[in-house]
C-alpha cells in the first residue's frame, strides 16, 4: 500500500512511459499529508499522472507537473477526477539517482581538493623573497 515509497519501482513507470499510475494506499492521520506530498513528488519526478485513493488519508489526483486535480481528505466522499493518461520525459526518469551520487562524490572529494590548493598556497607564501 506504500508502493510510491520505492523510487526504483516507480522509475520503471517512467522508463516504460506509463501515463497513469493508480496507487491505492492506507494512511493514518499522522502521515496523511506528508505521504500525499511524497506521492506528488514521485509523479513529478517520473512524469506520470497519479490517482491515489486512500482509506484513512488524503486521496489525490495530480497531473505530471504536480498540480492537484482533485483532493479529498479522510474520505467521507468519493474522489472524482477527470484525468488524462499523459507521460512526460523527465531528467530524473532518464538518469535516476546519478546526479545525487555525483554530488556525493564531489562532496567527498572536496576536502582533498581544498587541502591540496591551500597547502600549495601556504608553501609559496612562506618562502623568503629575494632582495
Amino acid at each position: 500500500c506504500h508502493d510510491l515509497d520505492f523510487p526504483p519501482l516507480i522509475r520503471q513507470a517512467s522508463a516504460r512511459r506509463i501515463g497513469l499510475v493508480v496507487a491505492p494506499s492506507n494512511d493514518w492521520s499522522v502521515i496523511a499529508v506528508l505521504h500525499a506530498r511524497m506521492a506528488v513528488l514521485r509523479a513529478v519526478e517520473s512524469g506520470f499522472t497519479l490517482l491515489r485513493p486512500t482509506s484513512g488519508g488524503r486521496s489525490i489526483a495530480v497531473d505530471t507537473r504536480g498540480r492537484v486535480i482533485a483532493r479529498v481528505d479522510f474520505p467521507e466522499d468519493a474522489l472524482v477526477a477527470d484525468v488524462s493518461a499523459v507521460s512526460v520525459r523527465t531528467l530524473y526518469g532518464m538518469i535516476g539517482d546519478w546526479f545525487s551520487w555525483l554530488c556525493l562524490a564531489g562532496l567527498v572529494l572536496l576536502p582533498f581538493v581544498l587541502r591540496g590548493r591551500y597547502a600549495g598556497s601556504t608553501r609559496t607564501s612562506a618562502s623568503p623573497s629575494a632582495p
Side-chain angles (χ1 to χ4, degrees), residues 13-14 16-20 46-49 64 84-89:
S14 179
R16 293 184 177 135
R17 305 291 307 259
I18 303 295
L20 175 65
S46 297
F48 55 73
T49 301
T64 58
S84 301
V86 177
S87 176
V88 175
R89 295 291 287 174

Side-chain angles (χ1 to χ4, degrees), residues 18-70:
I18 303 295
L20 175 65
V21 172
V22 179
S25 185
N26 181 20
D27 288 343
W28 55 95
S29 62
V30 176
I31 67 162
V33 175
L34 176 64
H35 215 227
R37 288 180 181 164
M38 289 169 53
V40 172
L41 175 67
R42 295 287 178 243
V44 172
E45 72 186 10
S46 297
F48 55 73
T49 301
L50 173 67
L51 181 59
R52 184 179 179 265
T54 65
S55 59
R58 175 174 281 180
S59 296
I60 55 172
V62 296
D63 67 6
T64 58
R65 295 184 181 248
R67 293 178 292 219
V68 177
I69 299 166

Side-chain angles (χ1 to χ4, degrees), residues 3-131:
D3 296 334
L4 295 174
D5 292 349
F6 302 96
L9 175 68
I10 299 307
R11 249 190 318 267
Q12 292 177 19
S14 179
R16 293 184 177 135
R17 305 291 307 259
I18 303 295
L20 175 65
V21 172
V22 179
S25 185
N26 181 20
D27 288 343
W28 55 95
S29 62
V30 176
I31 67 162
V33 175
L34 176 64
H35 215 227
R37 288 180 181 164
M38 289 169 53
V40 172
L41 175 67
R42 295 287 178 243
V44 172
E45 72 186 10
S46 297
F48 55 73
T49 301
L50 173 67
L51 181 59
R52 184 179 179 265
T54 65
S55 59
R58 175 174 281 180
S59 296
I60 55 172
V62 296
D63 67 6
T64 58
R65 295 184 181 248
R67 293 178 292 219
V68 177
I69 299 166
R71 181 182 98 185
V72 177
D73 287 328
F74 305 100
E76 294 107 20
D77 298 325
L79 178 69
V80 178
D82 184 15
V83 297
S84 301
V86 177
S87 176
V88 175
R89 295 291 287 174
T90 64
L91 183 61
Y92 183 78
M94 291 184 280
I95 66 170
D97 290 330
W98 278 104
F99 180 71
S100 302
W101 287 113
L102 288 174
C103 288
L104 183 61
L107 186 63
V108 168
L109 293 175
L110 186 63
F112 298 106
V113 171
L114 293 176
R115 182 174 174 233
R117 181 172 288 179
Y118 285 121
S121 67
T122 307
R123 275 186 252 135
T124 352
S125 62
S127 63
S129 57

